[in-house]
Amino acid sequence: MNSDSPPRSGSQQAVSMGTDVALRPERSLTALAFSRLVKNRLAVVGLTVLCLVIIASAMAPLLTPYAPTSMDTSSRFQPPSREHLMGTDQFGRDIFTRIIYAGRVSLTVGIVSVGVAGTLGTIIGLTSAYYGGWWDLVVSRLMDVLFAFPPVLLAIAIMAALGQNTTNVMIAIGIVNTPIFARLIRATGMGISGRLFVEAAHALGASSRRIILKHIFPNCLPPLIVQITVAFAWAVIAEAALSFLGLGTRPPTPSWGLILDEGRNVMEYAPWQPVAAGVAVMVTVFSLNVLGDGLRDALDPESTR
Amino acid sequence: MTRYVAYRLLLAVPVLFGISLVVFSLIQMIPGDVVSVLLGMRTSPEAAASLRRMFGLDQPLPVQYARWAGAILRGDLGYSLRSGVPVSYLLASRLVVSAELGGLGVLLAMLLGIPLGVVAALKQNTTTDYAATSAALVGLSMPDFWLGTLLVLVFSIRLRLLPPTGYVPFGTDPVQNLKLMAMPAITLAGGSASYIMRMTRSVVLEVLSKDYVRTARAKGLPERVVVYAHAFRNALVPLLAVVGQQLGYLMGGVVVVEAIFAVPGIGRTALESIYNRDYPVVMGVVLLIATSYVLINLVVDLLSAAVDVRIREQIVSPGR
């Protein structure tokens, strides 16, 4: 991309991006990225699986006749069958039901924590990149400090201080993710703040708010979108890990980590329980990872595919 | 180099100060305080007030912080509320176990990740490359607690090859120690090995496309020399940074892995302390791991500067 060209028009930008792009100047950047994404088979598989996980979680009551917490001691440790697709646990609860209901917890934690972290991190990163000075200095040092904690450890420490419940899991994961978004957007924003089109906007008398929102922020979107998928995948893992350690979602509410932890103790007799929960986490994280990789390639202006 | 070392040491000071502030803030966020944990809820207000005075909890927060930080600097992390043992003493005995687990984890991650990444880059777009990158993608998507559970299911319950839990010091029985540490180390290394593999592949590919590699090939140098003397050596600096970053993830992962395999290290100590509301121990572990992480990154940065003269010159002459 020409470093000083205004980013406003997708077609203008497309013309300056590369030879194959120049052959199709009428296409917007979004359309171009979308066409690249759908050509990436693995990313399409990821997107499809992710959609299925979301649909299954949202429509859980329609997909199963059982309730996630209802116990039936007469059918404890049932292996997978037509009645119980993934078998039952030590309380006779249907594992498939618990897995799809647990998806709601994971996705909610992911959406809320990444939403909050993404919003806060973007605001902090944009203002820090644009205004610089003491605000940037304070923000940068604070980010350095938060980066000094291994992410899982920081989440565990916050949970230890706040107490164990799903809301605090969202807060902990949100706090851990915020500096990652802030640092990314700050770095991207700083590169854009020095471009000619930003200087031109200044010269035309545009307000700081307008420059940040209309000129800098749209150019930060590609890395932001990719980071959202990465952070979402980490949020799913972190929620499951915290619940697995007994620090997250509290029983009897189903959570993938909790189901895996409960299944670990009965693994010798009922291996289907930990396997089902582990596969659920892995498939969701895998789909987010391949989607993230696909988006990274699709949104990369240097890409000629 | 001396100026660079001094510069990096100076940069670490505010970060360490910040870490202490974050840990102190977390202690303040805990519902109730040490006194309520020690005495329970059914105690007389007079007894609680007297104990608060004794611990200095009636002082303003900045004074409390100064006393707490001063004690930390002297190596005094307080006392375990449960056992009464000094936290520093408790952690010192557990740190050896976690250090062994962490060391084995890093070693495995590097031994798996770096050669696989180099091979995948050298054989780009072949079946070997696809197999290695697919394996890395699966490894990245596999949380450590799931990998650990699967290993126990396969190697302990089904095949009965390895003991599922426990710990024997290396000095007591080296063979049993390695048998017991095998699954925890593999679990810890899994995700990091995948990440290191992907980064190695990407860095080596980038270096291989540089002009100096083309020149080396044009000179007729053997491919082995081109790869190891030119490409891999230049890929080392970014790889060092990647390994340093992964160390942080491994140190966080130690908590989870030690819980799965009942390894008596600092991670398991932290978890047990959370369950027992033994907060001085929890915060001692957090402080210890975060400080170690900063120091390890400092060492990684110094190593990078030692390998690459451009890094230290940037600091000495930032204008260039």
Side-chain angles (χ1 to χ4, degrees):
Chain A
M1 191 191 292
N2 183 340
S3 64
D4 292 323
S5 64
R8 309 297 305 129
S9 152
S11 55
Q12 281 174 3
Q13 215 173 18
V15 169
S16 62
M17 269 170 34
T19 39
D20 86 316
V21 180
L23 296 173
R24 289 166 285 169
E26 74 285 354
R27 299 179 77 183
S28 73
L29 195 61
T30 313
L32 191 69
F34 185 74
S35 75
R36 281 180 188 153
L37 185 69
V38 293
K39 276 181 202 160
N40 185 332
R41 273 189 231 159
L42 208 53
V44 173
V45 170
L47 187 61
T48 312
V49 173
L50 191 64
C51 288
L52 287 176
V53 172
I54 294 169
I55 291 168
S57 302
M59 299 173 71
L62 301 175
L63 295 175
T64 171
Y66 308 102
T69 51
S70 71
M71 301 185 198
D72 177 7
T73 44
S74 62
S75 49
R76 296 169 72 223
F77 296 129
Q78 294 279 312
S81 63
R82 285 181 70 177
E83 285 76 36
H84 301 287
L85 288 175
M86 294 178 181
T88 60
D89 65 8
Q90 63 268 46
F91 300 111
R93 296 174 297 195
D94 182 61
I95 294 171
F96 173 71
T97 304
R98 287 182 64 73
I99 293 284
I100 54 175
Y101 273 92
R104 291 179 165 196
V105 175
S106 287
L107 295 177
T108 308
V109 168
I111 291 167
V112 174
S113 62
V114 174
V116 170
T119 309
L120 274 177
T122 303
I123 293 170
I124 294 170
L126 282 174
T127 50
S128 174
Y130 181 76
Y131 293 109
W134 67 267
W135 170 242
D136 181 38
L137 193 74
V138 170
V139 165
S140 300
R141 292 295 79 79
L142 190 64
M143 297 303 128
D144 285 347
V145 170
L146 289 176
F147 269 108
F149 292 88
V152 173
L153 182 79
L154 185 57
I156 289 173
I158 294 168
M159 290 307 295
L162 296 181
Q164 291 120 50
N165 60 52
T166 310
T167 309
N168 289 344
V169 171
M170 294 180 203
I171 295 172
I173 296 174
I175 291 174
V176 175
N177 267 324
T178 302
I180 301 171
F181 279 103
R183 191 175 265 192
L184 175 79
I185 298 301
R186 177 181 173 273
T188 315
M190 281 180 99
I192 294 158
S193 297
R195 297 256 193 99
L196 204 57
F197 62 84
V198 175
E199 282 177 31
H202 267 298
L204 288 169
S207 67
S208 295
R209 186 189 155 97
R210 185 177 169 81
I211 291 171
I212 291 174
L213 291 178
K214 298 281 178 185
H215 296 275
I216 301 175
F217 177 63
N219 282 281
C220 293
L221 273 174
L224 179 64
I225 291 167
V226 175
Q227 185 55 39
I228 284 172
T229 61
V230 175
F232 204 116
W234 190 78
V236 170
I237 292 181
E239 188 281 325
L242 289 171
S243 302
F244 178 83
L245 295 173
L247 302 174
T249 307
R250 296 193 137 191
T253 307
S255 150
W256 288 334
L258 208 58
I259 298 170
L260 188 52
D261 182 44
E262 288 166 354
R264 212 160 50 100
N265 304 318
V266 293
M267 219 157 37
E268 209 157 339
Y269 326 103
W272 49 85
Q273 186 177 343
V275 168
V279 169
V281 180
M282 209 179 113
V283 164
T284 309
V285 173
F286 182 83
S287 62
L288 282 161
N289 280 342
V290 292
L291 179 62
D293 281 357
L295 281 169
R296 186 176 291 121
D297 291 342
L299 293 165
D300 180 7
E302 301 296 320
S303 173
T304 52
R305 277 193 298 163
Chain B
M1 188 68 191
T2 317
R3 281 183 72 180
Y4 183 76
V5 173
Y7 172 80
R8 276 303 281 113
L9 281 173
L10 265 179
L11 269 188
V13 174
V15 175
L16 290 172
F17 171 67
I19 287 172
S20 73
L21 275 181
V22 170
V23 174
F24 183 74
S25 310
L26 284 172
I27 296 171
Q28 302 307 314
M29 278 158 65
I30 295 167
D33 58 15
V34 174
V35 172
S36 61
V37 175
L38 274 177
L39 297 179
M41 299 312 284
R42 279 186 242 158
T43 181
S44 71
E46 292 78 22
S50 153
L51 208 57
R52 275 200 184 93
R53 249 195 318 280
M54 202 179 99
F55 282 127
L57 296 175
D58 57 338
Q59 300 287 318
L61 279 180
V63 176
Q64 284 187 45
Y65 170 76
R67 288 175 62 168
W68 177 80
I72 299 285
L73 285 175
R74 291 191 301 275
D76 175 9
L77 294 169
Y79 291 85
S80 160
L81 299 181
R82 196 170 163 83
S83 61
V85 175
V87 175
S88 46
Y89 175 78
L90 191 73
L91 297 188
S93 61
R94 310 283 174 99
L95 189 61
V96 183
V97 183
S98 297
E100 186 195 346
L101 178 58
L104 285 172
V106 174
L107 200 68
L108 261 180
M110 285 167 65
L111 285 176
L112 277 172
I114 295 177
L116 271 178
V118 173
V119 170
L122 293 176
K123 297 186 181 289
Q124 195 192 8
N125 297 332
T126 63
T127 318
T128 314
D129 181 26
Y130 294 140
T133 43
S134 306
L137 202 52
V138 172
L140 273 182
S141 310
M142 191 173 250
D144 41 15
F145 53 87
W146 166 228
L147 177 60
T149 308
L150 263 187
L151 289 175
V152 171
L153 188 64
V154 175
F155 292 102
S156 300
I157 294 176
R158 296 282 167 210
L159 302 175
R160 302 199 180 276
L161 283 175
L162 292 167
T165 54
Y167 177 76
V168 174
F170 187 81
T172 310
D173 185 346
V175 177
Q176 188 63 11
N177 170 276
L178 290 177
K179 267 184 155 181
L180 281 162
M181 285 303 226
M183 287 198 293
I186 294 169
T187 306
L188 193 61
S192 289
S194 309
Y195 187 76
I196 291 174
M197 182 265 150
R198 273 165 65 114
M199 294 308 288
T200 306
R201 179 183 178 274
S202 145
V203 168
V204 172
L205 274 179
E206 197 185 327
V207 172
L208 283 175
S209 68
K210 299 273 183 198
D211 285 343
Y212 56 80
V213 171
R214 202 172 302 134
T215 309
R217 279 186 177 139
K219 279 197 303 186
L221 286 178
E223 190 61 16
R224 197 166 48 85
V225 178
V226 173
V227 170
Y228 293 102
H230 293 265
F232 187 65
R233 205 176 158 189
N234 281 291
L236 258 183
V237 176
L239 284 183
L240 265 174
V242 171
V243 172
Q245 184 202 12
Q246 283 307 297
L247 275 169
Y249 284 92
L250 288 176
M251 289 164 102
V254 156
V255 181
V256 181
V257 173
E258 288 181 357
I260 300 171
F261 296 99
V263 178
I266 51 168
R268 190 163 166 232
T269 307
L271 273 181
E272 283 168 356
S273 306
I274 292 173
Y275 303 145
N276 295 324
R277 299 186 70 200
D278 196 348
Y279 296 117
V281 179
V282 180
M283 294 311 162
V285 173
V286 174
L287 198 63
L288 179 69
I289 294 184
T291 308
S292 312
Y293 186 30
V294 172
L295 296 180
I296 288 171
N297 269 324
L298 180 68
V299 173
V300 169
D301 278 1
L302 295 181
L303 278 176
S304 304
V307 175
D308 190 344
V309 71
R310 287 168 298 185
I311 294 175
R312 46 183 197 268
E313 282 196 345
Q314 267 176 6
I315 304 304
V316 179
S317 322
R320 271 201 279 175

PDB file of all heavy atoms in Angstrom, chain B residues 117-139:
ATOM      1  N   GLY B 117      10.424 -26.701  12.338  1.00  0.00           N
ATOM      2  CA  GLY B 117      10.202 -25.440  11.638  1.00  0.00           C
ATOM      3  C   GLY B 117      11.194 -25.250  10.504  1.00  0.00           C
ATOM      4  O   GLY B 117      10.826 -24.816   9.405  1.00  0.00           O
ATOM      5  N   VAL B 118      12.474 -25.594  10.772  1.00  0.00           N
ATOM      6  CA  VAL B 118      13.506 -25.447   9.736  1.00  0.00           C
ATOM      7  C   VAL B 118      13.202 -26.392   8.569  1.00  0.00           C
ATOM      8  O   VAL B 118      13.224 -25.980   7.392  1.00  0.00           O
ATOM      9  CB  VAL B 118      14.915 -25.735  10.333  1.00  0.00           C
ATOM     10  CG1 VAL B 118      15.967 -25.766   9.234  1.00  0.00           C
ATOM     11  CG2 VAL B 118      15.287 -24.693  11.375  1.00  0.00           C
ATOM     12  N   VAL B 119      12.862 -27.646   8.907  1.00  0.00           N
ATOM     13  CA  VAL B 119      12.572 -28.627   7.850  1.00  0.00           C
ATOM     14  C   VAL B 119      11.357 -28.189   7.029  1.00  0.00           C
ATOM     15  O   VAL B 119      11.365 -28.237   5.790  1.00  0.00           O
ATOM     16  CB  VAL B 119      12.348 -30.034   8.468  1.00  0.00           C
ATOM     17  CG1 VAL B 119      11.815 -31.007   7.433  1.00  0.00           C
ATOM     18  CG2 VAL B 119      13.643 -30.564   9.065  1.00  0.00           C
ATOM     19  N   ALA B 120      10.308 -27.716   7.724  1.00  0.00           N
ATOM     20  CA  ALA B 120       9.095 -27.280   7.020  1.00  0.00           C
ATOM     21  C   ALA B 120       9.414 -26.123   6.068  1.00  0.00           C
ATOM     22  O   ALA B 120       8.895 -26.064   4.948  1.00  0.00           O
ATOM     23  CB  ALA B 120       8.025 -26.876   8.027  1.00  0.00           C
ATOM     24  N   ALA B 121      10.295 -25.209   6.511  1.00  0.00           N
ATOM     25  CA  ALA B 121      10.655 -24.060   5.663  1.00  0.00           C
ATOM     26  C   ALA B 121      11.471 -24.507   4.457  1.00  0.00           C
ATOM     27  O   ALA B 121      11.259 -24.036   3.334  1.00  0.00           O
ATOM     28  CB  ALA B 121      11.439 -23.037   6.482  1.00  0.00           C
ATOM     29  N   LEU B 122      12.412 -25.438   4.704  1.00  0.00           N
ATOM     30  CA  LEU B 122      13.268 -25.902   3.600  1.00  0.00           C
ATOM     31  C   LEU B 122      12.470 -26.705   2.581  1.00  0.00           C
ATOM     32  O   LEU B 122      12.816 -26.749   1.402  1.00  0.00           O
ATOM     33  CB  LEU B 122      14.427 -26.749   4.141  1.00  0.00           C
ATOM     34  CG  LEU B 122      15.455 -26.000   4.999  1.00  0.00           C
ATOM     35  CD1 LEU B 122      16.495 -26.950   5.546  1.00  0.00           C
ATOM     36  CD2 LEU B 122      16.121 -24.887   4.188  1.00  0.00           C
ATOM     37  N   LYS B 123      11.423 -27.366   3.043  1.00  0.00           N
ATOM     38  CA  LYS B 123      10.600 -28.177   2.132  1.00  0.00           C
ATOM     39  C   LYS B 123       9.232 -27.527   1.964  1.00  0.00           C
ATOM     40  O   LYS B 123       8.203 -28.201   2.043  1.00  0.00           O
ATOM     41  CB  LYS B 123      10.454 -29.600   2.692  1.00  0.00           C
ATOM     42  CG  LYS B 123      11.788 -30.339   2.800  1.00  0.00           C
ATOM     43  CD  LYS B 123      11.593 -31.766   3.222  1.00  0.00           C
ATOM     44  CE  LYS B 123      12.895 -32.498   3.349  1.00  0.00           C
ATOM     45  NZ  LYS B 123      13.572 -32.782   2.079  1.00  0.00           N
ATOM     46  N   GLN B 124       9.246 -26.209   1.776  1.00  0.00           N
ATOM     47  CA  GLN B 124       7.985 -25.468   1.668  1.00  0.00           C
ATOM     48  C   GLN B 124       7.071 -26.039   0.572  1.00  0.00           C
ATOM     49  O   GLN B 124       7.539 -26.405  -0.504  1.00  0.00           O
ATOM     50  CB  GLN B 124       8.280 -23.997   1.366  1.00  0.00           C
ATOM     51  CG  GLN B 124       7.086 -23.106   1.588  1.00  0.00           C
ATOM     52  CD  GLN B 124       7.282 -21.713   1.027  1.00  0.00           C
ATOM     53  OE1 GLN B 124       8.277 -21.462   0.343  1.00  0.00           O
ATOM     54  NE2 GLN B 124       6.354 -20.828   1.284  1.00  0.00           N
ATOM     55  N   ASN B 125       5.758 -26.097   0.915  1.00  0.00           N
ATOM     56  CA  ASN B 125       4.720 -26.578  -0.004  1.00  0.00           C
ATOM     57  C   ASN B 125       4.891 -28.037  -0.422  1.00  0.00           C
ATOM     58  O   ASN B 125       4.476 -28.419  -1.518  1.00  0.00           O
ATOM     59  CB  ASN B 125       4.625 -25.685  -1.246  1.00  0.00           C
ATOM     60  CG  ASN B 125       4.199 -24.270  -0.884  1.00  0.00           C
ATOM     61  OD1 ASN B 125       3.497 -24.068   0.108  1.00  0.00           O
ATOM     62  ND2 ASN B 125       4.645 -23.300  -1.649  1.00  0.00           N
ATOM     63  N   THR B 126       5.534 -28.846   0.416  1.00  0.00           N
ATOM     64  CA  THR B 126       5.598 -30.292   0.162  1.00  0.00           C
ATOM     65  C   THR B 126       4.753 -30.986   1.230  1.00  0.00           C
ATOM     66  O   THR B 126       4.259 -30.335   2.166  1.00  0.00           O
ATOM     67  CB  THR B 126       7.041 -30.820   0.264  1.00  0.00           C
ATOM     68  OG1 THR B 126       7.481 -30.614   1.614  1.00  0.00           O
ATOM     69  CG2 THR B 126       7.983 -30.120  -0.686  1.00  0.00           C
ATOM     70  N   THR B 127       4.626 -32.306   1.104  1.00  0.00           N
ATOM     71  CA  THR B 127       3.835 -33.064   2.079  1.00  0.00           C
ATOM     72  C   THR B 127       4.422 -32.896   3.484  1.00  0.00           C
ATOM     73  O   THR B 127       3.677 -32.776   4.461  1.00  0.00           O
ATOM     74  CB  THR B 127       3.845 -34.568   1.695  1.00  0.00           C
ATOM     75  OG1 THR B 127       3.672 -34.657   0.292  1.00  0.00           O
ATOM     76  CG2 THR B 127       2.749 -35.325   2.396  1.00  0.00           C
ATOM     77  N   THR B 128       5.768 -32.877   3.582  1.00  0.00           N
ATOM     78  CA  THR B 128       6.429 -32.708   4.889  1.00  0.00           C
ATOM     79  C   THR B 128       5.996 -31.386   5.514  1.00  0.00           C
ATOM     80  O   THR B 128       5.663 -31.326   6.699  1.00  0.00           O
ATOM     81  CB  THR B 128       7.970 -32.684   4.694  1.00  0.00           C
ATOM     82  OG1 THR B 128       8.323 -33.759   3.830  1.00  0.00           O
ATOM     83  CG2 THR B 128       8.696 -32.791   5.996  1.00  0.00           C
ATOM     84  N   ASP B 129       5.999 -30.331   4.720  1.00  0.00           N
ATOM     85  CA  ASP B 129       5.614 -29.008   5.212  1.00  0.00           C
ATOM     86  C   ASP B 129       4.157 -29.027   5.683  1.00  0.00           C
ATOM     87  O   ASP B 129       3.840 -28.559   6.780  1.00  0.00           O
ATOM     88  CB  ASP B 129       5.807 -27.982   4.073  1.00  0.00           C
ATOM     89  CG  ASP B 129       5.449 -26.569   4.507  1.00  0.00           C
ATOM     90  OD1 ASP B 129       5.540 -26.290   5.716  1.00  0.00           O
ATOM     91  OD2 ASP B 129       5.092 -25.751   3.637  1.00  0.00           O
ATOM     92  N   TYR B 130       3.275 -29.590   4.852  1.00  0.00           N
ATOM     93  CA  TYR B 130       1.850 -29.615   5.222  1.00  0.00           C
ATOM     94  C   TYR B 130       1.634 -30.417   6.499  1.00  0.00           C
ATOM     95  O   TYR B 130       0.853 -30.036   7.369  1.00  0.00           O
ATOM     96  CB  TYR B 130       1.000 -30.203   4.086  1.00  0.00           C
ATOM     97  CG  TYR B 130       0.992 -29.338   2.832  1.00  0.00           C
ATOM     98  CD1 TYR B 130       1.059 -29.899   1.566  1.00  0.00           C
ATOM     99  CD2 TYR B 130       0.921 -27.954   2.936  1.00  0.00           C
ATOM    100  CE1 TYR B 130       1.077 -29.103   0.424  1.00  0.00           C
ATOM    101  CE2 TYR B 130       0.928 -27.155   1.813  1.00  0.00           C
ATOM    102  CZ  TYR B 130       1.005 -27.734   0.553  1.00  0.00           C
ATOM    103  OH  TYR B 130       1.020 -26.936  -0.554  1.00  0.00           O
ATOM    104  N   ALA B 131       2.346 -31.570   6.619  1.00  0.00           N
ATOM    105  CA  ALA B 131       2.189 -32.415   7.801  1.00  0.00           C
ATOM    106  C   ALA B 131       2.661 -31.661   9.049  1.00  0.00           C
ATOM    107  O   ALA B 131       1.980 -31.654  10.082  1.00  0.00           O
ATOM    108  CB  ALA B 131       2.990 -33.703   7.634  1.00  0.00           C
ATOM    109  N   ALA B 132       3.819 -30.990   8.938  1.00  0.00           N
ATOM    110  CA  ALA B 132       4.371 -30.272  10.096  1.00  0.00           C
ATOM    111  C   ALA B 132       3.473 -29.094  10.482  1.00  0.00           C
ATOM    112  O   ALA B 132       3.180 -28.895  11.669  1.00  0.00           O
ATOM    113  CB  ALA B 132       5.780 -29.783   9.778  1.00  0.00           C
ATOM    114  N   THR B 133       3.000 -28.320   9.495  1.00  0.00           N
ATOM    115  CA  THR B 133       2.172 -27.154   9.830  1.00  0.00           C
ATOM    116  C   THR B 133       0.804 -27.586  10.375  1.00  0.00           C
ATOM    117  O   THR B 133       0.265 -26.951  11.272  1.00  0.00           O
ATOM    118  CB  THR B 133       1.979 -26.214   8.620  1.00  0.00           C
ATOM    119  OG1 THR B 133       1.724 -27.016   7.472  1.00  0.00           O
ATOM    120  CG2 THR B 133       3.191 -25.373   8.345  1.00  0.00           C
ATOM    121  N   SER B 134       0.267 -28.713   9.838  1.00  0.00           N
ATOM    122  CA  SER B 134      -1.021 -29.207  10.357  1.00  0.00           C
ATOM    123  C   SER B 134      -0.857 -29.669  11.794  1.00  0.00           C
ATOM    124  O   SER B 134      -1.698 -29.378  12.653  1.00  0.00           O
ATOM    125  CB  SER B 134      -1.540 -30.371   9.514  1.00  0.00           C
ATOM    126  OG  SER B 134      -1.590 -30.000   8.174  1.00  0.00           O
ATOM    127  N   ALA B 135       0.249 -30.387  12.059  1.00  0.00           N
ATOM    128  CA  ALA B 135       0.490 -30.870  13.429  1.00  0.00           C
ATOM    129  C   ALA B 135       0.622 -29.679  14.384  1.00  0.00           C
ATOM    130  O   ALA B 135       0.086 -29.703  15.499  1.00  0.00           O
ATOM    131  CB  ALA B 135       1.755 -31.718  13.475  1.00  0.00           C
ATOM    132  N   ALA B 136       1.280 -28.617  13.920  1.00  0.00           N
ATOM    133  CA  ALA B 136       1.457 -27.429  14.768  1.00  0.00           C
ATOM    134  C   ALA B 136       0.111 -26.756  15.033  1.00  0.00           C
ATOM    135  O   ALA B 136      -0.152 -26.293  16.148  1.00  0.00           O
ATOM    136  CB  ALA B 136       2.412 -26.449  14.095  1.00  0.00           C
ATOM    137  N   LEU B 137      -0.738 -26.727  14.021  1.00  0.00           N
ATOM    138  CA  LEU B 137      -2.054 -26.106  14.172  1.00  0.00           C
ATOM    139  C   LEU B 137      -2.893 -26.873  15.201  1.00  0.00           C
ATOM    140  O   LEU B 137      -3.574 -26.284  16.047  1.00  0.00           O
ATOM    141  CB  LEU B 137      -2.762 -26.090  12.815  1.00  0.00           C
ATOM    142  CG  LEU B 137      -3.878 -25.071  12.622  1.00  0.00           C
ATOM    143  CD1 LEU B 137      -3.423 -23.674  12.985  1.00  0.00           C
ATOM    144  CD2 LEU B 137      -4.374 -25.108  11.194  1.00  0.00           C
ATOM    145  N   VAL B 138      -2.826 -28.216  15.120  1.00  0.00           N
ATOM    146  CA  VAL B 138      -3.549 -29.049  16.090  1.00  0.00           C
ATOM    147  C   VAL B 138      -2.953 -28.822  17.492  1.00  0.00           C
ATOM    148  O   VAL B 138      -3.694 -28.652  18.468  1.00  0.00           O
ATOM    149  CB  VAL B 138      -3.475 -30.545  15.691  1.00  0.00           C
ATOM    150  CG1 VAL B 138      -4.054 -31.430  16.788  1.00  0.00           C
ATOM    151  CG2 VAL B 138      -4.226 -30.780  14.388  1.00  0.00           C
ATOM    152  N   GLY B 139      -1.616 -28.787  17.559  1.00  0.00           N
ATOM    153  CA  GLY B 139      -0.948 -28.574  18.845  1.00  0.00           C
ATOM    154  C   GLY B 139      -1.338 -27.249  19.477  1.00  0.00           C
ATOM    155  O   GLY B 139      -1.549 -27.161  20.684  1.00  0.00           O
TER     156      GLY B 139
END
